[in-house]
Amino acid sequence: MRTLKPVKGHMYSFSMVGGTLVVTEEVAGQGHQTSLELLDVGDVDTAPCEPWGAELPVRIRQLHSHWLCRDQNIIVVRPVSFLGHSTQFLICCDSGSMNSNESHHGGVERLCYSCLRIPLHLMQRPWPSLLTEHRAELTDELVLAQQSSLGLHILAKIEASKFIHTFSTSGRPIMGTSGSPMGAAGVSSARPGSFEDSACNTEAGSASHESMSLLWELPRYGLEFEHVNGIFLSRDYAGFKLADVQQLTSST
């Protein structure tokens, strides 16, 4: 089944594959090269986004829709409504292929992902142009903060750790004590993969990591801090930094 006319410049197709509803979106007149397939987020209570996105932060899983471009190995993360086409994150597959015949028959491939945050001024651009014309501006890459990291230890006094997002600012995964890049994945026809432990991840223990720059975002509060040499500098209020002690001290 296919829409009879474009909806905001996009055509939509609906089909059943193995008992699963598959929704495909195409830009009218551009063919299949940039077509997107809506991914199933699964049971948000027991197995959200498994097996392809279980390691994504809860807000990215539950408050967005996820569209897979099999031709380019890209997952486009946008608003939940299909009418919202602003790209908020791009999840890029660094190796392997998502559209092999084996993937449609339960085969598993080992893939490494990187999740890039899209700057506000680029969100309304067509997502393919973000990787061709604006790739140098996509400098914030999601990393997985370890529970023992200094950043989570301090910021968890303000916000629940599951709602805290951590980004490297170099455009490359930052390895070491505070974070690791998105891991490897197994690919299936309806869901592109799972973020699992692999060679893409590193163990804790890099002493030099403390001198690297990380961004810590508290999206529910609209706050963001840059972690430089052990100091959390505010990116919202120039000249301010997070106090070392985040608990009120007794006056007695």
Side-chain angles (χ1 to χ4, degrees), residues 10 64-65 67 76-90 118-120 122-127 130:
H10 296 79
H64 299 81
S65 60
W67 298 79
V76 182
V77 182
R78 349 188 283 207
V80 172
S81 172
F82 78 100
L83 295 176
H85 291 90
S86 62
T87 303
Q88 299 176 2
F89 296 90
L90 284 177
I118 308 302
L120 183 62
L122 295 177
M123 287 184 178
Q124 300 300 327
R125 301 290 181 92
W127 71 264
L130 297 175

Side-chain angles (χ1 to χ4, degrees), residues 4-212:
L4 297 177
K5 61 181 181 179
V7 180
K8 287 194 171 183
H10 296 79
M11 301 291 292
Y12 294 88
S13 301
F14 306 87
S15 60
M16 296 297 295
V17 178
T20 301
L21 175 63
V22 176
V23 180
T24 304
E25 176 190 271
E26 296 178 11
V27 178
Q30 292 191 10
H32 296 280
Q33 186 176 3
T34 59
S35 64
L36 298 174
E37 176 185 327
L38 180 63
L39 296 176
D40 183 6
V41 299
D43 190 325
V44 297
D45 295 321
T46 61
C49 297
E50 288 189 353
W52 58 270
E55 291 184 352
L56 288 173
V58 61
R59 289 178 61 86
I60 298 180
R61 294 198 311 259
Q62 296 184 7
L63 301 183
H64 299 81
S65 60
H66 312 81
W67 298 79
L68 169 64
C69 178
R70 292 189 179 277
D71 288 342
Q72 300 191 38
N73 296 345
I74 298 290
I75 298 176
V76 182
V77 182
R78 349 188 283 207
V80 172
S81 172
F82 78 100
L83 295 176
H85 291 90
S86 62
T87 303
Q88 299 176 2
F89 296 90
L90 284 177
I91 301 176
C92 307
C93 175
D94 295 330
S95 61
S97 173
M98 283 191 177
N99 58 352
S100 64
N101 291 331
E102 291 79 8
S103 70
H104 289 274
H105 298 281
V108 175
E109 303 172 26
R110 303 299 294 176
L111 305 172
C112 188
Y113 291 92
S114 58
C115 180
L116 304 174
R117 180 169 63 168
I118 308 302
L120 183 62
H121 69 283
L122 295 177
M123 287 184 178
Q124 300 300 327
R125 301 290 181 92
W127 71 264
S129 71
L130 297 175
L131 296 174
T132 56
E133 302 174 22
H134 304 283
R135 181 61 183 84
E137 299 177 68
L138 308 184
T139 59
D140 297 347
E141 180 171 358
L142 183 71
V143 293
L144 302 179
Q146 298 180 5
Q147 293 300 314
S148 60
S149 67
L150 175 63
L152 278 186
H153 176 72
I154 294 177
L155 295 176
K157 300 180 185 300
I158 305 172
E159 175 63 290
S161 58
K162 67 179 180 179
F163 297 128
I164 298 174
H165 299 170
T166 311
F167 300 92
S168 78
T169 59
S170 62
R172 299 191 183 110
I174 284 185
M175 308 295 193
T177 59
S178 292
S180 60
M182 306 308 291
V187 176
S188 68
S189 61
R191 295 168 176 171
S194 61
F195 297 109
E196 303 168 353
D197 294 334
S198 72
C200 297
N201 292 319
T202 58
E203 299 296 331
S206 173
S208 63
H209 179 75
E210 291 302 319
S211 62
M212 296 181 182

